[in-house]
Each structure stands twice: as C-alpha cells, then as structure tokens.
Amino acid sequence: MFIKPWSKEETGYTEYHFKLLCIGRIVRNKMKTVLLLIVLVHFTLTNFTVSQELHLKKPMSVSAVKTVGSNTAYIYNIETLKFNDLNLTEKSTLRGVQTIISALAEHRVQEDQQKMKTDITQMNTVIQQQAVLLSKINNIVKQQQTEINQLKETIVEMNNSKNIVAQLSPGPIPRDCAEVYQNGATAPGVYDIQPLNFSQPFKAYCNNTWTYIHHKTHGSALNFHKDWNSYKNGFGNLDGDFWLGNEKIHALTKQGKHSLYIGITTLQGRQQFSLYKSFKVGAENSNYELIVSEYDKSSSAEDNLQYGQAGGDYYHGNRAFSTKDKDNDGWVEGSCANTNNGGWW
C-alpha cells in the first residue's frame, strides 16, 4: 500500500490531495496466502493550518520503507497489520478505504442488477416479437389448410360430376375420338381432340370411335334457328343438345375418309339408323358443302340425304349449308332454313 501526499500552498491554508492506490491479487503457494488489495481513492482534505501536518507514523506492522523524492511511504504487511497498532489518522484512512470498498461493491451490485433488468427487458421484447411472428405463421397455416380443404372439395365435385373430361396419358392430343380410344379410353365422355392443322384443341363427345357432331331431342329448349357464325363455331351443351360446329366438322373429315351414322328414335320409341360409309364437309369458301355417299343398305332408316335424283329438291349431297341469314339452298321462292327453323344442307 502506497500513500503519496500532494501539497498546494495558499494564504493561511494548506490543501492536501491524497490518492490511495491499493492493488489486490491473491498469490498462493505452499507456505502462505498473500492478499493485496487494489482500490483507487481520491479525496481532498481542506481547512488545515500551515502548521498542521498529516502523516502516518510507522507502526510495528510496517515491513519496508520506500522513499520517493522528499516523500516517505510505508509498506504494510496486511497479514500482520493490527487495527489497534495504528494511530488515529491511519485508522481514519483505513475506515475510509473500507467505506469506499463497500460503496464500490454496492455500486457493482447495482450495475449488475441494472444490467440484468435490461437483459430481461430485451429478452421479453424478443419473446413478444417471436410470439407475434408465431401468430402470423399460424394464420398462414390456417389459410393454407382452408385452401387445401377447398381444393379437396373441388376434386370430389369433379369426380362426382357426369361431365368429367377423361384424363389421358401425356403426349400429343388425339386427332379424333378414334385416337382417344386407341390411347386407352374405355368409357364414353367428353375428351379433348385436335384435328390436323386446326388452330387449337376443342372438346367433343366420344362414344367408342365415333365423334358426335349433332344431337337434338324433340321439343328441345335449345334454339337451333341461329345465324351463320353460330353454326360455324358450334353451340349447345355436349351432354345435351348441340351442334359441334362446321369448322370443326370440316377439320375432322378432311383428315381422311369418315363414315356418318345418323341415329333416330321415333316418337313411338323405335330406334332406327342410317349409315353412310363416306362423309365429308367442305371448307367455308365452299359454304361447307356436304359430300356424302355409300349408303349402307343394312340401315334400318331410309336414305334421307340422297333421296330422289341427284340435284333434286330432296337430294342433300353436294349441297351448301344454309342458315337464317345466309340462304344457299336451291329453293328460289323461299328459304329452307327459315321454313324449318334451323340450319342444314
């Protein structure tokens, strides 16, 4: 322990500044433990007269003396130092050191407590932020679960619908219903087909290798008295009454030789059919000319497309298609489409 006085002379007074430096360390060996304390103390003593002196008398516990300039410092052995061996000034100094050590220890405890409070506050803030984030994640999960449930319901509805579009194996879209069945289809239904050189796929009702181009029931609610463009593009419902569309029929039949099957159910419930082994519809620039031949005599219904002589009033072969707004029939005095409330050849 080293004590070094600092002096300043003023009129009638001397001011002493004391700095007390204590260095503490524990040194252990086989013989003893030496404890050195380190404390930095700065205090000021004032109001002393010039004749007053503040000094430490050398007690019995001093183990060495060190002189620095004109100042003398005593080195104390803390282990053998006894409080009763000190004079009043030395006791006061030691009490001050003890007070400062206690104050520093208390201050350190307060700092540690304050740091703990700050750390706890920061941890609480982080926990709150994580709780908010967890809540958002839970909301997202709930939304995704709702979407999954809705998707499941949609799939069930599609599977239960009678308007199921058959799913084919990956590959080129079939050109017609014959290829649909060649690709593995086994049940009648609505399928995607795309004839050669046709701009885009379209849906058609397939039954075995047959492609349905027209269906109409007696007393149908569907109005067939439509204009040219309607018959060109098609209309109606493939599961009910419809006209597939002259452009689509033309695209299908120009790919190769096709047959035409006309099924009829009479009002009495009797089923009949007419089969033509050669059937084709021309392009729009020919007004979708009907080319039909090779009536199969095994048919149960009459040949109503080639009835009479070629070119006669009831002979439909090589005729152009007519609608209410485009009359291409051979009836000079009238319009077959307007008379019969529907387009035909």
Side-chain angles (χ1 to χ4, degrees):
M1 180 180 293
F2 301 94
I3 298 177
K4 181 179 180 180
W6 296 71
S7 62
K8 180 180 179 182
E9 295 184 358
E10 295 181 357
T11 304
Y13 298 93
T14 299
E15 184 179 57
Y16 289 85
H17 296 271
F18 287 88
K19 289 189 176 179
L20 178 60
L21 182 61
C22 303
I23 301 176
R25 183 175 60 181
I26 298 177
V27 180
R28 296 180 180 273
N29 54 35
K30 296 181 179 180
M31 300 301 296
K32 61 179 180 179
T33 300
V34 179
L35 173 64
L36 301 177
L37 300 177
I38 303 177
V39 178
L40 179 61
V41 181
H42 178 271
F43 59 93
T44 301
L45 298 178
T46 59
N47 297 328
F48 286 93
T49 64
V50 177
S51 60
Q52 289 178 316
E53 293 181 357
L54 180 62
H55 63 279
L56 294 177
K57 293 181 179 180
K58 179 181 177 182
M60 293 178 61
S61 58
V62 173
S63 60
V65 178
K66 184 175 181 180
T67 302
V68 181
S70 60
N71 299 304
T72 300
Y74 300 104
I75 303 175
Y76 294 86
N77 189 334
I78 299 299
E79 289 184 337
T80 60
L81 181 62
K82 295 182 180 179
F83 186 76
N84 292 332
D85 294 336
L86 302 177
N87 60 30
L88 182 61
T89 302
E90 292 171 337
K91 291 180 179 180
S92 177
T93 301
L94 288 178
R95 288 193 183 98
V97 171
Q98 292 173 350
T99 302
I100 293 171
I101 292 174
S102 299
L104 289 173
E106 183 178 355
H107 179 70
R108 180 60 183 272
V109 170
Q110 291 177 352
E111 285 184 342
D112 291 344
Q113 290 178 345
Q114 183 61 38
K115 187 176 182 304
M116 290 179 61
K117 290 181 180 179
T118 302
D119 292 342
I120 292 173
T121 301
Q122 292 175 350
M123 290 177 62
N124 288 335
T125 302
V126 173
I127 292 172
Q128 292 175 357
Q129 292 173 348
Q130 291 178 343
V132 172
L133 179 60
L134 181 60
S135 177
K136 292 181 179 179
I137 293 175
N138 288 335
N139 291 335
I140 293 174
V141 171
K142 290 179 180 179
Q143 292 175 356
Q144 291 179 341
Q145 187 62 47
T146 300
E147 293 175 358
I148 291 174
N149 292 336
Q150 292 175 348
L151 181 59
K152 289 180 179 179
E153 293 176 358
T154 302
I155 293 174
V156 171
E157 291 176 357
M158 291 177 62
N159 290 334
N160 293 335
S161 174
K162 67 177 182 179
N163 297 324
I164 299 175
V165 177
Q167 300 297 318
L168 303 176
S169 59
I173 298 176
R175 295 182 301 170
D176 53 25
C177 288
E179 285 194 359
V180 169
Y181 276 80
Q182 289 174 7
N183 290 343
T186 57
V190 178
Y191 295 85
D192 285 326
I193 62 175
Q194 185 175 9
L196 290 174
N197 300 321
F198 201 75
S199 60
Q200 59 186 359
F202 59 85
K203 297 185 182 302
Y205 190 91
C206 300
N207 188 356
N208 203 339
T209 59
W210 293 96
T211 303
Y212 282 41
I213 63 173
H214 172 51
H215 186 275
K216 182 180 179 181
T217 56
H218 181 70
S220 172
L222 180 62
N223 177 22
F224 279 84
H225 194 31
K226 295 184 178 296
D227 58 18
W228 182 265
N229 284 332
S230 295
Y231 274 96
K232 173 182 177 179
N233 299 314
F235 57 87
N237 187 340
L238 292 176
D239 285 323
D241 294 336
F242 67 93
W243 182 265
L244 184 62
N246 290 336
E247 276 296 310
K248 298 170 186 174
I249 299 171
H250 164 66
L252 285 167
T253 58
K254 79 173 184 177
Q255 296 182 118
K257 187 175 180 179
H258 281 71
S259 299
L260 174 65
Y261 180 95
I262 301 175
I264 302 171
T265 302
T266 66
L267 294 177
Q268 292 75 28
R270 188 175 62 202
Q271 294 183 347
Q272 297 178 330
F273 74 94
S274 295
L275 177 63
Y276 299 85
K277 295 182 179 180
S278 180
F279 169 73
K280 185 177 182 179
V281 172
E284 186 176 16
N285 56 14
S286 70
N287 292 321
Y288 301 115
E289 177 186 7
L290 172 65
I291 303 172
V292 61
S293 61
E294 300 182 40
Y295 171 75
D296 190 334
K297 293 183 180 181
S298 66
S299 301
S300 58
E302 295 181 354
D303 181 3
N304 289 316
L305 292 182
Q306 300 178 107
Y307 182 76
Q309 298 296 321
D313 291 342
Y314 299 102
Y315 194 90
H316 297 277
N318 303 110
R319 294 281 189 179
F321 198 83
S322 293
T323 59
K324 67 179 182 179
D325 60 335
K326 195 168 184 178
D327 186 7
N328 294 314
D329 60 33
W331 186 16
V332 179
E333 294 83 6
S335 168
C336 293
N338 287 315
T339 299
N340 296 298
N341 295 322
W344 197 253
W345 290 275

